[in-house]
Each structure stands twice: as C-alpha cells, then as structure tokens.
Amino acid sequence: MELTERSSQLDLLERRLADLLGGGGAAPTDRPVTVLTGPVGSGKTALAQTFARRACDAGARVVGASASRAERSVPLEVVRQLVRAVPLCAADAPDIRARLASLLDAGALAWNDADPADAENARLTAAIGRALLELTSRGPLVIVVDDIHHADVPSLRCLDYVARRLSGLPVLIVLTEAPRTRPWRADVHAEMLQPASLHRIRLPLLTAEGTFQLLAQRLDIPLARSIAEESHRISGGNPLLVHALADDQAAAPRSADAPAVGESFREAVLSCLYRCDHLVLNAARVLAVTGEPLHGSLLPHLVDARSHPALGAVDRSTSAGLIDEQGLRHPAVTQAVIDGMTAEERVRLHLGAARLLHDDGAPPARIAPHLVGIGELAEPWMAQTLLDAGEQALLDGEVETALRYLRRAHRSGVGECLRARIRSALARAEWRLDPQATIPHLVGVATAIRAGHLGSQQAAGPIQYLLWHGEIDKAVDLVRHLSERADAADPQSVAELLVITGWISTLYPGVVVDRPAPAVAARDPLTLARVKHGLSGVILLSGVLARGDAGVVEEAERTLSTTGPDDEPHMWRAICALVAMIYADQLDLADDWCDRLGRHLVTPHHPTPSATLTALRAAVAGRLGDLPRAGKLADEALGQLSPKGWGVVIGIPLAVRIRALTFMDQLDTAAACLQVPVPPATFETPLGLHYLHARGTHALAAGSPEAALADFQLCGQLMQRWKLDFSGLVPWRTESARALLRMGRRQQARKLVRDELTRLRPLHVRYRAAALRVLAATEEGQERIPHLRSAVRLLRQCGDRMELAHNLADLGHAYEQAGDRRQARAATRSARALAEECGIPTLWPSALSARDGATGSRAGAAVVVQGLTDAESRMATLAAQGHTNREIAEKLFLTVSAIEQRMTRIYRKLDVSSRSELAGRLRLDRPGTTVLDPLTRGTDPPGGRPSGPRPR
C-alpha cells in the first residue's frame, strides 16, 4: 500500500533507527518500544513494512510476526514466528533453534491461561525470554509485531519480559495496534504497553487532499480530482477504503463525476468491520438497519446486553472511521453493511426495532420501515401501523414510500374492514402514479362500500377515481349506498356526501344524483365550513360556467396562493382554480400560475398531477395562439399517462393537440390523434365538449363542413341541456356559422353569429372578435372592413395571436379587394409575421373573402388532384398559371424557400419535372381532376374523415 500523508511518522521511526545504529549498538532511550496506533485500514502495516525494509538496508537485523484474532488461543504463536524469522549463523543455528523449539513446545503444553500467576508458567516465560535476549548479542535487532492487540497472552508476557530488560541492548521493538473498545486481556496489555516504556506514534485518517493524492496514484489526475471530495466523504479518509474506491472506479465501464461504489468497496467495509471488535460490527449492523445516530435509543437494546458498558468507546477510531456521531458515515457504507448481513439477521433487527419503537409510542412513520423488512405481520398493530404510515406518507407527497407500506399491509392477513381501508389508501396512492393502476383496487373498494366496511370519508377518493375513469353509474350507486347508511346525526358523514355529490354534479352535469338532507349541516357551522371548503373548486367553476362571473378570478388566485397540486384534495382545488381562470379568459394570469405551480411542484416525478398541470398549460398556450408550444405540451402530457390512465380527462390534452395540429396544417397527424380511444363517458362531461370542438375544427379544415356542423351543434345541444351555454367553454354558435359558410348557407350563418354577438358580454373580447370575423365573411365588399378592424382591435387586447393573424390576413384581403393596396400590404405583413410566430404554415383568407374577385371568372378557382392536399393544389394551380415562386409566396403569405420546398414535394408526388409538365397535368379535362371553388372547399383529404367517437 502506498504511503500517503505518512512521511512524518516514517521520519520518527527512521530517527529511532538512526539512534539505534549510531549509538554504539545500544538502545538510545529508556523507551525501547514504539507503538504505531491508528484505526483499522489506516496503513499501519504498510508503514511498519516500509520501515522494516529500510532497517534491513541500513544493516540491522529485522524479525517480524503478525498476530491474528483467530490465533489468540494458540499459545506462543507470535514468539514462534519471531524465532523462525531470526537470522542465525550456521554453526549455532541448530542448537539454538532446537533449544528454543523445546522451550516453546513445553510452554505451549504447560501454559495455563486460567492462572497467569502459575509458577510453572512464570518459569517458562522467563526461560523463553532469556533465550530471546541471547539473540540481541549478535548485533542491532529490530522486532516488528503487527496487530499486537490480537497477540496470544503467553507471547505478550514473553515480549513484556524482553522489553523490561532491553536497557543498554541494541534492540528496537515496533508494534502496530488499532484502538479497541476494550482490550482482550486488559491486564496483560496494561503491563506490556506501559506509557513510561513506549513511544507512541499515531496515524490519523487521511485529509481530503490526502485522499486526492492517493487516488491520483491509481487514476488519471483529472478523474481523481473530480471524485476526491465525494470519495473522502464516503471513506472518511481510510486508506483501505480509498484504495477500494479506486479499484471500483478503474473497473467501472466509464468514468463519471461521482465515485463508483462497487464490490471492492463493499468487501473493504466488511473487512474493516470484521477486523474491529465484534461490538463495532454489531453496532454497525444495528445502525444500518435502524438508520439512527450513534447515541440513539435503539442501539443499546439491540446489541449484546453484555456490551452495553463498552458502547461509549465506539467512535471513529475504533470503527475504522465508519461510525461517527450521526451513525454510519455514508449511505454507501450503510448499504455495504446491509449487504453483508444474512436475511435472518436483518429480519431479527427490524422486528426488534419495530417492537421497541411501538412500545415507546413512536409515530407510525418511524415504525413502518422496519415492518416492511420483516416476514409475517404477526401482531395486530403491525398492519394498522403500516396503513397509518402510508396515509401520512401520502399527505407528505411521498407516494413511493406510501405504496411500499400499503402493499406490505395489503399482503398480510387482516380483517375485512382494515383490508378495505388499506385498498382505499392503495387506490389513492396508485392514482398519483398511474390512474389505470387504481382500477383493480376500485373493484374491491366498491364491494367494501356495499358491505358497509367503508364510510363516506374513506369512500370519497375512490368515488372520484370512478368519475375520472367514466364509471359514473358505479359512482352514483355507491353514493346511494352511502346515503342509505349515513347517520343523519353525524355532520362529517353528511358533509362528505354533500362534497361527493357536488363533484358529480359538476363533472357530469347531466347526471341526477340524490343529495343527503342538509338539515344537520344547516345547523352545524363546522359542517358548513367543511362542505364549503371541499366544494371550493366546484364553486369557482360554477361561478364561471353557469353565470360567466369573471369575479371568481380573485378567489381563484387566493386559492392557488394557499394550495398546490401535490396533495390530492388540494390538487382538485388548484386544477379547478386554473380552469376557472382559463374559462374567464385570464390566460396570461393562468399561464403564470401554471408555470409557478410547475416550478414549485414538490413531487414533479408523480405523473398524474404533473400531467394534468401540463395539459392545462397546453390549453392556455393554445388559446394564446402559441401553436407549437401547445402541441408540444399536449404531446408531453399525453406521454405521461396511458390513454386508459387519462380516463375522461383525456379530452383536454387530446383536444389541444388536435386543434394545434389542425391549425398548423398537419391534418394527417391530427387525424391519427382522432383514432386514440376516448371513453364514451367523456361526452357526458364538459371535457367532451372540447374534444367535439377540436374534432369539428379538424373536419372543417379537412373539407367536411357537414361533419363539423354536426359536432358544433352537438356541443350546443349538450351545453343548453346542462345549462352551461357559455362561449368561454365552447363558442359553438360561431363555429357552427363557420361550417354553414363553407356549406354556402350564408343567411343562416349570419343569423347564428349575430345571435352569438348579442349573447356575449363586453368582457368576452376573444369570442366577440371571433364572431366578428365570421360576420365579416357573411358580408359583401367593403362592409367587411369595419367588422374585421373591430376584431383586430379586440384581439390585440386579449393576446390571441393566432386568431389575430387570421383576422389580419382577412383584413389585408378585404383592403386589396377595396383597392387600398397600402393598407393591404401593412395588414398582410403583420399577418405573415404573426403566422411565423404562431407556427402557422399557411394563412388563407376566409373563403368568402374572395367572393368579390371571383364572380366573373374562375381566376380564384383551384384545381384539386388526387394525392395533393388543398394547399398543395392551390400552389400547383398558381405555378401552372405561370406565377413565379416569389409571386406565389406573396399570394399565399409564405416565404420563397417554403414555396420551393413544397413545389419539390408536389413535383415528386405528381411525377413531373417542370412547370410545363405540371400545367399539362392540371388540365381541367383530364381524368382525376376537379375544380374547387374557393367558396365551397368540400373535398375530403386523402384518407377521408377520421373516425372518432361520436355520441348519439
């Protein structure tokens, strides 16, 4: 082992050697014994070996021995090693060795460890000691004994005999010793290692710089520097452990900034502990299992009772630096100790710790980690403790920990009532990670509710999960069972039922559910407060949806400032507050709160709250017109949970993604999204309205206005039936008017959109602007311009950049038709800039905006060829008519490079190589071509209408 930070200790030994060799062959001091003291693994043996080699090189005779715990009971074993190592001249060797061997054999047979004062033992000790002293007459002698604390008692007595008679003799004795919690034979050690007769040299553990130097001898210097600090924290500066870390690092497949802790380190930790006292090993095992500090309450009760007095001696020096005041010094050390234990040892310690903590009245969170580690939960309190600890972990946001406790409790043999409570808590924990995983538990919970094993408080969560998964009939049936058994005199039961029914009425407004009689709640202020608090999210949503009350925004902010999406009840309130802000059209505020909650999410790795929050952020981005961000966030949200895991809530992210893709002209990808299964119950919730809206928008863009109109009108029917006819939810009248325009039913469209305008309040600027744009499309000539200018002004207020880009494009086209080219160019430039920001590849003026210029000719018509989209067909038509790429870019509000790329794609699709071939291919009398009037874009794209779920 390389010597690092040991130069001062080696210098002291060499000075002792120099005094020995330069003092005329006599011992230089009255303290002929030098003891190297340091923790196990600190490098004492390496230092002694280095000194022994230098003593040999200097001309001294060196004899050495190494003691071992396993040979403590072998009398005179250390002396035998010394005798075998003594160099003798050839003439005297046989006689001296034979005499020493005879003395040692006699001593081994006669030694009586039970009576060290026995006269025969004393005689033999003196005889052997005199024989050893005779060896010193042949020149300077250095005696080195490693691990003297493990030496057998007869050898210690013989060495003590020699040490006390070395005055004036050329002998230096060097011993190595590790601090112990208590000596094996305290009396013998006290005689041998008297402070007055020895010189003690202490070897401390390495410093952080010493750790780096040792690593640099084994590894590349940059790598050693990057891992030195953490390696020092792990090893405590123990050279043996640092070498082990270097071995693991060298064997690691690739270098890293953190030390690689592997098999070498684990073996080194166990080697250190086994070389320490058994008390240290036992204490380390207890500390590894309990995780307590050194002076915690469990350690004295879990180690051997006979060792209690010596526990105070367990410290860094006696434990090779592995144990300090905080317990085991590093998690890597803890894991190494645990890996070195048998399963039976771990179970015994866990069970003992759990019982001690339970008897002391410790909280369940302290007891549960030990109960997880035992076999059978034999005592009644154990499963209940695991349940209590799991529920507390859920409140603290530690879902993985809660699942570990609850799953262990669920596997035990407990009564039906307790098992039902465990399954209810399990469903709650599983829902945070994957709502789909709650389904098996919900079946058992429903059975328990019907059997009367669960009350309203334990049933509230599972019923909400049933609503999430669209199992509305089961949820209503369970509420009925709870209502029948509810104690009218129990305010808490009544409060829980009122909260549950309130949530059902909000999420499923078309479902009728009987509410419990509120007589008790009306007389109990505490119950009223509990109901109001539980329904705070519902109240916020109702204020916006039913009454269009924008004043709820302030209340929503107060709610969000005092809660978050980590704890489940808080999560529902926070989500409702955000949705209320979105429906109230306070999008910038909602976006800010979404970012704030996302940054402060305590458990961002828990998919359900994180995915829900991401879906709302996507909805905000979509309404603000940031299509790329909306699509990305929606895709991210959909990737966090499986389609089944999303339940009916999948309507939010799926709708945002479909609309974003549609507006970005990625119709095929949007059509693929429409193939994602959506639970039928989605269309019984307001969430289904968003999906219908998105599906209708896609149908309209794909050239199916009839299908789009059906979806928009279905939205209107549901909203009117549910008494939620609020444009902030879905502006179904405006969207229906768009579809009617595409079908050529302009009068009906004008009537519908004017009806929408009369219903809108002044604060609904976004929806008023959208309605004005559609109204402009129903007008003729210059009458469109005032409507479009009003819409542009309103959109600049609300910040919807996508809708603003479309309005500016329409306004530019209207100005051009009116002959005002300057205004047309300004509006067109602004539209193009906004379109690039929003990720809109193509800006088409509204279909009916082209009416004035198309009445007398087919100049505005486009040829549609099978295999090309509408956009590609229009581009191909303009190119075949002789327009340059720059002219096409001006007309279609695109860049020249975009036109070049799309023309290349058109050439490849049609298998043509020039514009002349393209013009021949687009002749109107060729088979496979049709004329598409800009007024009636009714051709389906390739693949036809995507088949999505459509309620009847």
Side-chain angles (χ1 to χ4, degrees), residues 377 386 405-414 419 422-423 426 441:
L377 302 180
L386 285 169
Y405 297 160
L406 295 171
R407 286 169 178 167
R408 180 64 189 89
H410 187 253
R411 291 195 300 269
S412 63
V414 296
R419 182 176 296 279
I422 293 171
R423 297 201 74 162
L426 257 178
H441 298 298

Side-chain angles (χ1 to χ4, degrees), residues 355-387:
R355 284 173 172 161
L356 286 170
L357 290 171
H358 177 260
D359 292 342
D360 290 344
R366 283 197 63 195
I367 307 173
H370 300 295
L371 295 177
V372 172
I374 69 176
E376 181 184 1
L377 302 180
E379 300 178 34
W381 57 268
M382 293 180 172
Q384 180 65 53
T385 299
L386 285 169
L387 172 60

Side-chain angles (χ1 to χ4, degrees), residues 407 410 422-424 426-427 430 437-446:
R407 286 169 178 167
H410 187 253
I422 293 171
R423 297 201 74 162
S424 176
L426 257 178
E430 296 279 15
T438 64
I439 296 176
H441 298 298
L442 294 179
V443 176
V445 170

Side-chain angles (χ1 to χ4, degrees), residues 167-378:
S167 178
L169 296 178
V171 179
L172 178 63
I173 299 177
V174 178
L175 310 175
T176 69
E177 178 194 40
R180 320 300 291 173
T181 56
R182 55 186 176 187
W184 180 48
R185 285 292 299 268
D187 55 341
V188 180
H189 275 267
E191 293 180 10
M192 174 68 190
L193 303 178
Q194 295 182 32
S197 63
L198 61 85
H199 183 83
R200 190 177 294 277
I201 299 176
R202 301 186 184 279
L203 276 70
L205 297 172
L206 300 178
T207 64
E209 180 60 25
T211 300
F212 160 68
Q213 293 175 8
L214 188 54
L215 289 171
Q217 297 172 10
R218 303 283 308 280
L219 306 169
D220 293 336
I221 292 179
L223 175 59
R225 178 62 72 187
S226 67
I227 67 173
E229 184 177 352
E230 183 62 21
S231 296
H232 184 70
R233 277 197 290 268
I234 295 173
S235 66
N238 186 305
L240 179 63
L241 299 182
V242 176
H243 275 285
L245 288 173
D247 291 339
D248 287 332
Q249 194 69 42
R254 58 186 180 87
S255 59
D257 294 336
V261 178
E263 190 62 30
S264 296
F265 179 78
R266 286 191 286 271
E267 290 177 354
V269 169
L270 296 177
S271 173
C272 287
L273 290 174
Y274 280 115
R275 289 164 59 188
C276 295
D277 288 338
H278 282 299
L279 175 60
V280 174
L281 175 62
N282 292 334
R285 287 172 171 171
V286 172
L287 294 175
V289 168
T290 63
E292 281 199 326
L294 176 59
H295 300 297
S297 61
L298 296 179
L299 181 61
H301 299 281
L302 294 176
V303 297
D304 186 354
R306 295 170 297 177
S307 304
H308 286 187
L311 276 176
V314 177
D315 56 18
R316 293 187 66 198
S317 63
T318 58
S319 67
L322 296 174
I323 299 175
D324 55 23
E325 291 293 321
Q326 304 304 316
L328 292 176
R329 65 168 304 106
H330 194 274
V333 175
T334 300
Q335 191 59 51
V337 176
I338 290 176
D339 290 344
M341 299 170 63
T342 64
E344 291 77 10
E345 289 172 331
R346 290 196 296 269
V347 168
R348 178 181 62 80
L349 290 175
H350 277 302
L351 182 58
R355 284 173 172 161
L356 286 170
L357 290 171
H358 177 260
D359 292 342
D360 290 344
R366 283 197 63 195
I367 307 173
H370 300 295
L371 295 177
V372 172
I374 69 176
E376 181 184 1
L377 302 180

Side-chain angles (χ1 to χ4, degrees), residues 468-470 508 638 642-656 658 670-695 947-951:
W468 175 282
H469 286 293
Y508 292 86
L638 288 167
S642 65
K644 286 187 177 180
W646 270 106
V648 299
V649 187
I650 197 173
I652 296 177
L654 205 53
V656 173
I658 292 169
C673 291
L674 288 168
Q675 305 304 319
V676 176
V678 177
T682 302
F683 303 99
E684 298 183 53
T685 73
L687 306 176
L689 300 174
H690 297 294
Y691 182 85
L692 291 171
H693 184 198
R695 191 172 70 178
S947 60
R950 180 178 296 280

Side-chain angles (χ1 to χ4, degrees), residues 387-402:
L387 172 60
D388 295 340
E391 291 179 332
Q392 183 60 49
L394 276 178
L395 291 175
D396 296 338
E398 300 172 359
V399 180
E400 289 84 358
T401 301

